Amino acid sequence: MQTSRDDAIRLPPSSPGGLARRAERWCRALLAEAGIGIDGREPWDMRVNDPALFGRILRHGSLGLGEAYMDGWWDCPQLDEFFVRALRAGLERRVRGPLATLGAGLLGALVNRQSARRAWIVGRRHYDLGNALFSRVLDPTMSYSCGYWRSATDLAQAQRDKLALIAAKLQLAPGMRLLDIGCGWGGLAEHLAREHGAEVLGVTVSTEQAEHARRRCAGLPVEIRLADYRTVAGRFERIVSVGMFEHVGHRNYRTYFELAHRCLAEGGLFLLHTIGAKETVRGLDPWIEKYIFPNGALPSATQIARAVEGLFVIEDWHNFGADYDRTLMAWHANFERAWAELAGHYDERFHRMFRYYLLACAGAFRARDLQLWQVTLSKGGVAGGYRAPR
């Protein structure tokens, strides 16, 4: 997200002490625009533990804000609501930092950050953090994507309902071959094979995910490959991709959909489940990029529509992004409950990092700054029209 000239952060010439005071005044005034206080009484107010915090935010923007939280320089009793208010007030445009924004824009324009060689980085740095961690944070299906809360009252039901919704949208019949691009820990592949008789090929760039998925799907007509999506060949009646498109990158969107088009049989259906940005941007927030999803990129509706043009018919576009708020808050509750068990494997800085990630993202979806889309595509169009289940 670009920083405008009027919003750009400028370091005023001053003595070190004067600069610190100016930084504090600037932060106080900025947060006040969002109804956020400093050392105030509201649960979304910032509690400052180190007065050097303000200069760090001024110098490094949202990256400095996140790193300072990881280092214990500030706290907030209700971090998710802190981000709801900050995002609704548009503060992210003013604390991201002009140098970080410029650097991300240039890198995205000049380098394919999601090339076949670089595609494995996110697997090693995030998805391979350990199955012990994710098994305690996620539901029994190990679904690391938005649940469907239309009638669910808990995380496990929301994820089961999401799997059932995907199956219904794909109109599966026994014996159909299905490609699962970014199969995660195999929960969807298992469900579609066990409950609907599909023959599934799942691909992932995470070693930990692949090993778990193979164990999970043992005895079912499911093959799990540790592979980049660009290496897939073959013909499938159905394709599904859940929570993986966020790692494809704008330089590769057309390549991704061309591969899906080659692999999808005539008359086939392809369901894409992805987080979406409300406007076209070049990269993620600098903190998320550095600590959670390296080389990530959220697509806009425009980017998806352009990338599928001439390849697929868009049969249905379903937005249930508000459900991701509830999903993330459920993951956060599980994470905090399990921390006593996890503390022997991860340090307190990781604890604060993972909490910040989950609650910041929950706030972003609650503010409707981020979306969650399920886009159903057909090859050649569904005769008589597609009836989208909800």
Side-chain angles (χ1 to χ4, degrees):
M1 195 172 291
Q2 294 298 319
T3 303
S4 72
R5 180 172 297 179
D6 291 338
D7 290 341
I9 298 170
R10 296 180 179 85
L11 293 177
S14 179
S15 64
L19 180 59
R21 288 191 294 273
R22 288 191 180 196
E24 181 176 350
R25 286 198 300 271
W26 181 84
C27 287
R28 284 183 180 274
L30 192 67
L31 291 171
E33 294 178 20
I36 299 169
I38 293 177
D39 296 325
R41 296 180 179 180
E42 299 294 348
W44 51 80
D45 287 342
M46 177 182 280
R47 313 292 200 257
V48 178
N49 303 322
D50 190 321
L53 167 69
F54 305 112
R56 192 171 184 178
I57 296 172
L58 193 61
R59 288 190 302 273
H60 303 295
S62 62
L63 177 61
L65 181 73
E67 290 182 330
Y69 183 84
M70 291 166 62
D71 292 337
W73 288 23
W74 66 283
D75 283 292
C76 179
Q78 203 168 343
L79 196 58
D80 49 316
E81 277 298 310
F82 171 92
F83 280 102
V84 171
R85 283 160 172 75
L87 289 168
R88 283 178 177 166
L91 301 193
E92 79 283 2
R93 296 177 181 271
R94 300 166 66 181
V95 301
R96 190 169 182 184
L99 293 179
T101 302
L102 178 63
L106 287 174
L107 190 61
L110 300 174
V111 177
N112 185 357
R113 294 187 297 161
Q114 299 84 16
S115 65
R117 180 179 61 83
R118 296 175 60 86
W120 300 86
I121 295 174
V122 70
R124 293 193 300 268
R125 286 181 47 191
H126 187 74
Y127 297 108
D128 289 346
L129 281 172
N131 289 342
L133 168 66
F134 288 108
S135 66
R136 286 163 175 79
V137 172
L138 307 179
D139 72 297
T141 70
M142 293 284 280
S143 294
Y144 195 26
S145 55
C146 183
Y148 190 52
W149 293 83
R150 184 174 185 179
S151 59
T153 57
D154 59 51
L155 177 65
Q157 186 62 53
Q159 295 294 11
R160 288 195 299 269
D161 288 352
K162 189 262 300 293
L163 301 185
L165 179 68
I166 289 172
K169 287 182 176 182
L170 286 172
Q171 301 177 354
L172 284 171
M176 282 186 172
R177 292 200 71 213
L178 179 140
L179 171 62
D180 185 352
I181 305 175
C183 63
W185 287 274
L188 177 61
E190 179 193 28
H191 176 82
L192 299 181
R194 190 182 301 279
E195 302 298 327
H196 299 276
E199 299 178 8
V200 182
L201 169 62
V203 295
T204 176
V205 293
S206 165
T207 301
E208 293 274 332
Q209 287 184 339
E211 291 176 355
H212 183 93
R214 286 170 185 146
R215 290 194 299 271
R216 182 180 204 112
C217 298
L220 294 171
V222 175
E223 178 188 354
I224 303 296
R225 290 183 193 168
L226 186 62
D228 178 67
Y229 70 92
R230 280 162 281 219
T231 66
V232 175
R235 184 71 73 178
F236 303 86
E237 283 83 20
R238 298 290 186 266
I239 298 176
V240 67
S241 185
V242 178
M244 178 271 173
F245 194 66
E246 300 89 333
H247 305 299
V248 171
H250 72 279
R251 284 178 168 268
N252 307 300
Y253 290 158
R254 187 67 177 185
T255 297
Y256 174 93
F257 285 115
E258 286 174 343
L259 178 135
H261 185 265
R262 287 196 303 272
C263 289
L264 190 62
E266 292 300 323
L269 294 174
F270 171 21
L271 185 138
L272 177 71
H273 174 119
T274 182
I275 297 172
K278 63 183 181 182
E279 58 187 273
T280 299
V281 295
R282 288 298 186 190
L284 295 178
D285 171 84
W287 186 87
I288 292 287
E289 160 79 23
K290 181 175 181 178
Y291 289 99
I292 308 299
F293 296 118
N295 305 317
L298 299 183
S300 67
T302 298
Q303 288 173 320
I304 292 175
R306 285 176 177 168
V308 304
E309 188 172 333
L311 298 174
F312 295 103
V313 174
I314 300 175
E315 299 284 0
D316 183 54
W317 197 303
H318 185 185
N319 185 347
F320 54 97
D323 286 13
Y324 225 144
D325 175 16
R326 295 183 68 179
T327 304
L328 284 153
M329 293 304 293
W331 290 344
H332 171 254
N334 289 345
F335 176 65
E336 296 296 350
R337 276 194 297 267
W339 180 249
E341 298 176 65
L342 296 169
H345 304 280
Y346 307 93
D347 62 16
E348 182 58 21
R349 195 167 191 262
F350 178 90
H351 184 195
R352 294 178 68 87
M353 178 197 78
F354 212 78
R355 176 197 294 151
Y356 188 88
Y357 150 55
L358 294 174
L359 293 180
C361 290
F365 281 100
R366 194 176 309 161
R368 302 311 308 277
D369 196 64
L370 296 177
Q371 315 304 317
L372 187 286
W373 299 319
Q374 283 191 352
V375 185
T376 306
L377 307 168
S378 69
K379 189 171 181 178
V382 175
Y386 178 82
R387 301 293 180 264
R390 293 287 188 268

